[in-house]
Amino acid sequence: MARPTRISQTALLATARDLFLEHGYDVSTATIARAAGCSEGTLFKRFKSKEGLFREAMGIPDFDLEGRVEALVGQGDFQESLTNLCLEIVDYLRVLVPRVIRLWAHENSQLSRFMQRRRGPRAALSALTHYFEAETALGRIAPEDPELLARVFMGSLHNYVFLELIGVPTRMSARAFVRGLVSMIHDGIAPAMGVPQTGTGR
Amino acid sequence: MARPTRISQTALLATARDLFLEHGYDVSTATIARAAGCSEGTLFKRFKSKEGLFREAMGIPDFDLEGRVEALVGQGDFQESLTNLCLEIVDYLRVLVPRVIRLWAHENSQLSRFMQRRRGPRAALSALTHYFEAETALGRIAPEDPELLARVFMGSLHNYVFLELIGVPTRMSARAFVRGLVSMIHDGIAPAMGVPQTGTGR
Amino acid sequence: MARPTRISQTALLATARDLFLEHGYDVSTATIARAAGCSEGTLFKRFKSKEGLFREAMGIPDFDLEGRVEALVGQGDFQESLTNLCLEIVDYLRVLVPRVIRLWAHENSQLSRFMQRRRGPRAALSALTHYFEAETALGRIAPEDPELLARVFMGSLHNYVFLELIGVPTRMSARAFVRGLVSMIHDGIAPAMGVPQTGTGR
Amino acid sequence: MARPTRISQTALLATARDLFLEHGYDVSTATIARAAGCSEGTLFKRFKSKEGLFREAMGIPDFDLEGRVEALVGQGDFQESLTNLCLEIVDYLRVLVPRVIRLWAHENSQLSRFMQRRRGPRAALSALTHYFEAETALGRIAPEDPELLARVFMGSLHNYVFLELIGVPTRMSARAFVRGLVSMIHDGIAPAMGVPQTGTGR
DNA sequence: GATGAATGAGCCTTCATTCAT
DNA sequence: AATGAATGAAGGCTCATTCAT
């Protein structure tokens, strides 16, 4: 066995990822090497090119929503389960969104490949769709278009994370936001029955 | 009295904007000049720097949602009005989202300034919030947190536009998506009354 | 007669000269035009090129030391006359030195031409030489090499002006410096006669 | 362990210095690189900028006149010692003067910093002043203002070097000039005693 | 005659990549 | 395997000069 490389591949990739996430593709390889504590030569020995490093460092992380969904369908209180699911999705999106944006911004067309991945974001969306289908089949929610429903949830969560990312201040914590979201969509916003449509407002 | 300008400032900015939107800040000024049909010298005479050109070309466009809202409150069928409003927002977001992302990716901190603008995106969100407040006051919708409601709508629309932008294929047209969105949130997803629910929901 | 040009040739040259003296050849023609209150086009209409403008603006000024000398030889008190002559030379050098340096720095070989001019700096040196020759002939000074003498005076004055120019602070006014200079060179620094060479200590 | 440097820092600086001295700050970095036998990239790796290269290459050289002075005070024949000192100063000024002028012409304000340096030109002047003070104290020269004396010497030498630099032809070698200078200032130019003076001098 | 928009050559500088050690 | 000196191809930017009005 040769002597182990000084800096582990994982650590190097983590360093590169942090820099790519913070500054985009434009960080120089010199900067990355310095931050990782190795030489530029090493970088190019291990990865063929900067592009290669970027691709490996910025790969989209897996998220087994499918598995989570299966475990949750029909279990416990619907709103509570959905709330928990949403909070997990928020955690995932906080990792995913900046990466997707940096990938898209560099448009190295790796993005579309990543998007197709099992356990990637598209899979997450369809898993959520399946969840709603299953719960509809169980009669736990009204029969609505489950994909639309999934997109409304995903969209609201994505937007929450996105605003957070670009630094627009929020007064609502993620938990509060998700609770409100679930309850509102559950109940709808139609005025209470029997109440005349012309406002009783003051 | 001097030679008249050959290519208009507007045309130049439009060309630059297209290229910035397509390739990000990294397009070379040479490319921009070529595409605009002028020399690099001209570019730098008119704008002090590439940064300046970027700023002027990528400025966030105004959208007077506030005005639209005032005209719509209490008018016609609620769902139809809201649908129309959402479609206008989609058009705005199609312009806005790529610009915001490119601005953020270049993080020249112009972004936060733009975000504060009257008639910018934050204003749009609060206008939508006011819309829901007003309609609530009129009794046309149930009393829910209007900001949350606005964020759910804005988020769903934003996500629709975002997926479109990064090239994730959709089977739903914007109109269909908006219609479904409005109706679903209006009615909620609670199962029809009298239908028993599994679970311990209180 | 055509209508007079807006800015006089002299004023334009004066403006250009000030800028060339302050910043060297590197001031842009744009800057000069702006400072002169005319367009770049005008500059190039009147002078064929920037080089031409530089040449005309930075021409070495005449100084009729020859004439002054003729008027002074044998007149009044020698030291007083010489002092006055030196003060006039200082005034001339204050104009001359920066110009010579800027010309040399740009080494457009105009310098050597200017240096040959009647009434230019070389003429000044030989005029001073003649002065000392004439005063020697009159017996008003001891027979020393008059060119050497001229160079010592010119050199001391040049150095005074040079240090002033590059911003080395002086405690002596020009007048005090010249007075001391004249008197010291007049009297020499040999110890008083009869005094033993081995120091008498303080 | 890495590839060794191919051209030494010293050689590179020497090349740059020669070019800066000949053409001023305006030589292109491309020219310097070519002359030095390396790429522009190398230049900028080693020095942060052209400005930095200029600063390092054109730094004002030290000259320990103070030390020389201490060794000479009271030694040997005064005129001979002074002559030798002056010749050393000439050698120093031949290096110093063009550098000072180029620095001043580029006015990067490094000049004033350099001028303050111990062992720089100001120090040289004050060392010369001390020399004359010491010799005065020893009674080897008449009590004159030693600073003035120093400036006359420095000025004459500076002027000699300056004229040489800008290409004004001289008939006197440096040695002849210095000899004449020393002897003239030593003896003064006052006419021999007993010779009547025209004029009203007191 | 005057203007200033337009130009393109050239400048300083950065950076991914190679290569001798 | 690791290093970092060297490179050269751009990139952003300036500026003397031209030219249509």
Side-chain angles (χ1 to χ4, degrees):
Chain A
M1 272 226 286
R3 74 189 147 97
T5 56
R6 195 104 70 106
I7 177 170
S8 79
Q9 197 83 336
T10 352
L12 209 166
L13 284 173
T15 304
R17 173 161 48 249
D18 288 350
L19 289 169
F20 281 134
L21 285 174
E22 178 149 8
H23 304 108
Y25 188 76
D26 290 352
V27 258
S28 71
T29 50
T31 303
I32 297 172
R34 205 176 322 116
C38 71
S39 69
E40 284 193 81
T42 300
L43 239 52
F44 282 84
K45 273 273 168 48
R46 299 218 199 156
F47 309 91
K48 292 219 59 140
S49 62
K50 187 186 182 185
E51 202 70 39
L53 172 59
F54 184 71
R55 205 157 44 229
E56 290 207 33
M58 299 287 279
I60 285 186
D62 285 346
F63 177 43
D64 185 16
L65 189 51
E66 191 78 44
R68 297 288 299 120
V69 157
E70 277 173 29
L72 280 174
V73 167
Q75 302 301 311
D77 175 60
F78 170 72
Q79 290 195 41
E80 197 180 316
S81 293
L82 182 52
T83 298
N84 290 333
L85 205 54
C86 283
L87 285 171
E88 289 179 43
I89 292 176
V90 164
D91 285 340
Y92 179 57
L93 290 177
R94 279 177 173 148
V95 173
L96 181 68
V97 171
R99 229 174 269 200
V100 166
I101 291 183
R102 291 298 188 194
L103 281 165
W104 175 78
H106 183 54
E107 68 189 325
N108 64 351
S109 75
Q110 292 298 327
L111 178 55
S112 42
R113 189 180 318 168
F114 283 132
M115 295 306 284
Q116 308 300 345
R117 288 255 300 282
R118 288 208 295 162
R119 312 205 160 180
R122 299 208 57 192
L125 188 62
S126 69
L128 194 57
T129 305
H130 292 334
Y131 175 71
F132 288 124
E133 274 171 357
E135 294 286 14
T136 306
L138 291 178
R140 306 224 302 173
I141 57 179
E144 292 280 348
D145 178 341
E147 182 186 338
L148 183 65
L149 198 45
R151 289 185 70 164
V152 168
F153 271 93
M154 206 54 110
S156 301
L157 301 177
H158 167 222
N159 186 247
Y160 182 86
V161 169
F162 182 78
L163 292 182
E164 198 175 67
L165 176 67
I166 69 173
V168 175
T170 311
R171 278 182 307 281
M172 263 180 276
S173 72
R175 179 166 294 276
F177 179 76
V178 167
R179 280 224 185 89
L181 171 67
V182 168
S183 129
M184 172 187 301
I185 293 183
H186 184 265
D187 299 339
I189 59 176
M193 292 189 213
V195 173
Q197 287 271 342
T198 333
T200 60
R202 59 191 179 106
Chain B
M1 208 185 209
R3 189 199 281 203
T5 61
R6 204 150 53 70
I7 80 157
S8 77
Q9 197 83 336
T10 342
L12 214 166
L13 283 172
T15 305
R17 175 160 46 248
D18 289 350
L19 289 168
F20 280 134
L21 286 173
E22 179 150 7
H23 305 106
Y25 187 77
D26 290 351
V27 257
S28 72
T29 52
T31 304
I32 298 173
R34 208 175 318 117
C38 70
S39 69
E40 283 191 80
T42 298
L43 240 51
F44 283 89
K45 260 262 175 61
R46 301 227 196 150
F47 310 92
K48 295 213 68 136
S49 61
K50 188 187 183 184
E51 200 66 45
L53 172 59
F54 184 70
R55 203 160 45 230
E56 288 206 33
M58 300 287 279
I60 287 186
D62 285 346
F63 177 43
D64 185 15
L65 187 52
E66 191 78 44
R68 296 288 301 119
V69 155
E70 276 175 29
L72 281 175
V73 166
Q75 303 300 313
D77 175 59
F78 170 72
Q79 290 196 38
E80 197 180 317
S81 292
L82 181 53
T83 300
N84 289 333
L85 204 55
C86 284
L87 285 171
E88 289 179 44
I89 291 176
V90 164
D91 284 339
Y92 179 56
L93 289 177
R94 280 177 173 146
V95 173
L96 182 67
V97 170
R99 234 174 263 202
V100 166
I101 291 182
R102 289 298 186 192
L103 280 165
W104 175 78
H106 182 52
E107 66 187 325
N108 62 352
S109 77
Q110 291 299 323
L111 179 55
S112 45
R113 191 178 317 167
F114 282 132
M115 296 306 285
Q116 309 297 347
R117 287 254 302 280
R118 289 206 296 157
R119 315 206 156 182
R122 301 204 55 191
L125 189 61
S126 74
L128 195 57
T129 305
H130 292 334
Y131 175 71
F132 289 123
E133 274 172 357
E135 294 286 14
T136 306
L138 291 178
R140 307 223 301 172
I141 57 179
E144 291 283 346
D145 178 339
E147 183 186 334
L148 183 65
L149 198 44
R151 289 186 71 163
V152 168
F153 271 93
M154 207 54 110
S156 301
L157 301 177
H158 167 222
N159 185 248
Y160 181 86
V161 167
F162 182 79
L163 292 182
E164 198 175 68
L165 176 69
I166 68 173
V168 175
T170 311
R171 276 180 308 280
M172 262 181 274
S173 72
R175 178 166 294 275
F177 180 74
V178 168
R179 278 225 185 90
L181 171 67
V182 168
S183 125
M184 172 186 301
I185 294 183
H186 183 266
D187 299 338
I189 59 176
M193 289 188 221
V195 174
Q197 291 197 29
T198 321
T200 61
R202 55 191 177 110
Chain C
M1 274 225 284
R3 75 189 146 97
T5 55
R6 195 104 71 106
I7 177 170
S8 79
Q9 198 81 338
T10 352
L12 209 166
L13 284 173
T15 303
R17 175 162 45 249
D18 288 350
L19 289 169
F20 281 135
L21 285 173
E22 179 150 7
H23 303 109
Y25 188 76
D26 289 353
V27 257
S28 71
T29 50
T31 303
I32 297 172
R34 206 178 320 117
C38 71
S39 69
E40 282 193 83
T42 300
L43 238 53
F44 282 85
K45 273 274 166 50
R46 299 217 199 157
F47 309 91
K48 294 219 60 143
S49 62
K50 186 187 183 185
E51 201 71 38
L53 172 60
F54 184 71
R55 206 157 43 228
E56 290 207 33
M58 298 288 279
I60 286 186
D62 285 344
F63 176 44
D64 185 14
L65 187 52
E66 192 78 44
R68 295 287 301 118
V69 157
E70 275 173 30
L72 280 174
V73 167
Q75 302 302 311
D77 175 61
F78 170 72
Q79 290 195 40
E80 197 180 316
S81 294
L82 183 53
T83 300
N84 290 333
L85 206 56
C86 283
L87 286 171
E88 289 179 43
I89 292 176
V90 164
D91 285 341
Y92 178 57
L93 289 176
R94 280 176 172 148
V95 174
L96 183 67
V97 170
R99 229 174 270 200
V100 166
I101 291 182
R102 289 299 187 193
L103 279 165
W104 175 78
H106 183 54
E107 69 187 325
N108 63 351
S109 76
Q110 292 299 327
L111 178 56
S112 44
R113 190 181 316 168
F114 283 132
M115 295 304 284
Q116 308 299 345
R117 287 255 301 281
R118 288 208 295 161
R119 313 204 161 181
R122 299 207 56 193
L125 189 62
S126 70
L128 194 58
T129 305
H130 292 334
Y131 176 72
F132 288 123
E133 272 171 356
E135 294 285 15
T136 308
L138 290 178
R140 306 223 302 174
I141 56 178
E144 292 280 347
D145 179 341
E147 184 186 335
L148 184 64
L149 199 45
R151 290 184 70 164
V152 168
F153 271 92
M154 207 55 111
S156 301
L157 301 178
H158 168 222
N159 187 249
Y160 182 87
V161 167
F162 182 78
L163 293 181
E164 199 176 66
L165 177 67
I166 69 174
V168 175
T170 310
R171 278 183 306 281
M172 264 180 275
S173 72
R175 179 167 293 276
F177 180 74
V178 168
R179 278 224 187 90
L181 172 67
V182 168
S183 129
M184 172 186 301
I185 294 184
H186 183 267
D187 299 338
I189 58 175
M193 293 190 213
V195 173
Q197 289 274 341
T198 333
T200 59
R202 61 201 180 98
Chain D
M1 207 184 210
R3 188 200 280 205
T5 62
R6 204 151 51 70
I7 80 158
S8 77
Q9 197 85 334
T10 341
L12 214 166
L13 283 173
T15 305
R17 175 160 46 247
D18 289 349
L19 289 169
F20 280 135
L21 285 173
E22 178 150 6
H23 304 107
Y25 187 76
D26 290 350
V27 257
S28 72
T29 51
T31 303
I32 297 173
R34 209 176 317 117
C38 70
S39 69
E40 283 192 81
T42 298
L43 240 50
F44 282 87
K45 261 262 174 64
R46 300 227 196 150
F47 310 91
K48 296 213 68 136
S49 61
K50 187 187 183 183
E51 200 67 45
L53 172 59
F54 184 71
R55 203 160 44 229
E56 288 208 34
M58 300 286 280
I60 286 186
D62 285 346
F63 177 44
D64 184 15
L65 188 51
E66 191 79 44
R68 296 288 300 121
V69 156
E70 274 174 31
L72 281 174
V73 167
Q75 303 299 313
D77 174 62
F78 170 72
Q79 291 197 39
E80 199 181 315
S81 292
L82 182 53
T83 299
N84 289 334
L85 206 55
C86 285
L87 285 171
E88 289 179 42
I89 292 177
V90 165
D91 285 340
Y92 179 56
L93 290 177
R94 279 177 173 146
V95 173
L96 182 68
V97 171
R99 235 173 263 202
V100 166
I101 291 183
R102 290 297 187 194
L103 281 164
W104 175 78
H106 182 54
E107 66 188 325
N108 63 352
S109 79
Q110 291 299 325
L111 180 53
S112 45
R113 190 179 317 168
F114 282 132
M115 295 305 284
Q116 309 297 346
R117 287 254 301 280
R118 289 205 297 158
R119 313 207 158 180
R122 299 205 58 190
L125 189 61
S126 73
L128 195 56
T129 304
H130 292 335
Y131 175 70
F132 289 124
E133 274 171 357
E135 293 287 12
T136 306
L138 292 178
R140 308 222 305 171
I141 56 178
E144 292 281 346
D145 178 340
E147 184 187 335
L148 184 65
L149 199 44
R151 290 186 69 165
V152 168
F153 271 93
M154 208 54 111
S156 301
L157 301 177
H158 167 222
N159 186 249
Y160 182 86
V161 168
F162 182 78
L163 292 182
E164 199 176 68
L165 176 67
I166 69 173
V168 175
T170 311
R171 277 180 307 282
M172 263 181 274
S173 72
R175 179 167 292 276
F177 180 74
V178 167
R179 279 224 185 91
L181 171 66
V182 167
S183 126
M184 172 186 300
I185 293 183
H186 183 266
D187 300 338
I189 59 175
M193 288 185 219
V195 174
Q197 289 196 32
T198 321
T200 60
R202 61 191 178 101

